[in-house]
Amino acid sequence: MSAVDETGTDRSEASPDAAAVPLLSATGVRVSYPGRRGAAPARAVDGVDLDIGAGEIVALVGESGCGKTSLARALLGLVRPEEGRVSFGGVPLGYGSRALKGHRRRVQLVLQDPGGSLNPRHTVYDAVSEGLRIHGYGGGEEEAVAEALSRAGLRPPERFFLRYPHELSGGQRQRVVIAGRWCCGPNSSWPTSRWPPWTPRCAARSWPCCCGCATSWASPHWW
């Protein structure tokens, strides 16, 4: 398993002076799952060190079952590592409910199957605005949803507000999922699939404007 940036450079060989404090990092992270029928635990992540700087696009490349998604879950705070630590902006991740809620607003997950990510009974507006309601957004909800949809490439956004997932193409559903993540103003996103061709360009162009802060984008790739 290796970490490769958007230029094709192995980040393990990067100069230590090339970046300051990483936006998101893992240090010595280990994650295991209980074995079946008395078997020994299966170690999915074994002492991984990974730094993602602000504004970086990082691809995590490895064969199926090598621990890419398990590492992503640890970085998101969905799994607590047995050993090691996850840090955001140089601050170790806390595992209390309040700390995790704040972390998950800053670090978002884009799931592999957009159809399975969206509730078929919820409209596009409901799906995108859900994060705003969970995190107590104090601004104009409709304006925030419209801006996120527009930046994700669904224009005019009002045309999509009352549509349901089955009324959208696969690409449009993926954009709705990404718009829902952008709406919360994350600093980092972790897609769990191969990117559609437009995704890195769209993210690099739109996130600094949408979030008003430096962002990073990381993806575990199944090759």
Side-chain angles (χ1 to χ4, degrees):
M1 187 166 65
S2 61
V4 181
D5 66 15
E6 70 272 27
T7 66
T9 302
D10 188 341
R11 300 191 72 253
S12 64
E13 300 175 358
S15 167
D17 298 326
V21 177
L23 185 66
L24 183 64
S25 66
T27 305
V29 168
R30 296 178 186 268
V31 177
S32 297
Y33 298 105
R36 294 183 178 180
R37 299 177 182 176
R43 180 161 288 175
V45 180
D46 190 4
V48 169
D49 297 326
L50 176 67
D51 291 336
I52 304 174
E56 280 192 295
I57 297 174
V58 177
L60 190 63
V61 181
E63 63 184 4
S64 179
C66 72
K68 300 179 299 295
T69 298
S70 294
L71 177 58
R73 288 171 59 84
L75 290 171
L76 289 160
L78 297 174
V79 171
R80 186 166 186 167
E82 297 173 35
E83 298 180 28
R85 72 173 186 273
V86 173
S87 300
F88 186 90
V91 179
L93 173 62
Y95 290 90
S97 58
R98 181 175 296 181
L100 285 174
K101 184 175 181 180
H103 181 68
R104 290 169 185 164
R105 178 174 182 174
R106 296 189 297 260
V107 182
Q108 293 283 324
L109 177 70
V110 179
L111 296 173
Q112 182 173 2
D113 176 17
S117 305
L118 298 169
N119 188 326
R121 301 178 64 181
H122 287 181
T123 64
V124 167
Y125 185 93
D126 291 334
V128 176
S129 63
E130 182 178 17
L132 297 176
R133 296 170 184 173
I134 290 174
H135 292 286
Y137 180 69
E141 181 180 284
E142 185 172 332
E143 291 78 5
V145 171
E147 181 180 2
L149 287 172
S150 181
R151 293 190 182 280
L154 296 175
R155 307 183 188 96
E158 293 78 10
R159 177 179 148 200
F160 295 90
F161 278 3
L162 299 181
R163 290 193 184 183
Y164 289 88
H166 71 272
E167 299 176 303
L168 305 174
S169 69
Q172 288 174 330
R173 287 195 290 269
Q174 186 72 77
R175 290 172 187 258
V176 169
V177 171
I178 292 173
R181 305 304 177 263
W182 283 351
C183 221
C184 293
N187 298 96
S188 179
S189 180
W190 193 283
T192 61
S193 67
R194 292 180 179 177
W195 285 321
W198 53 268
T199 305
R201 296 193 301 272
C202 187
R205 181 172 60 248
S206 303
W207 277 36
C209 299
C210 185
C211 304
C213 57
T215 63
S216 63
W217 182 271
S219 175
H221 279 222
W222 281 259
W223 285 356

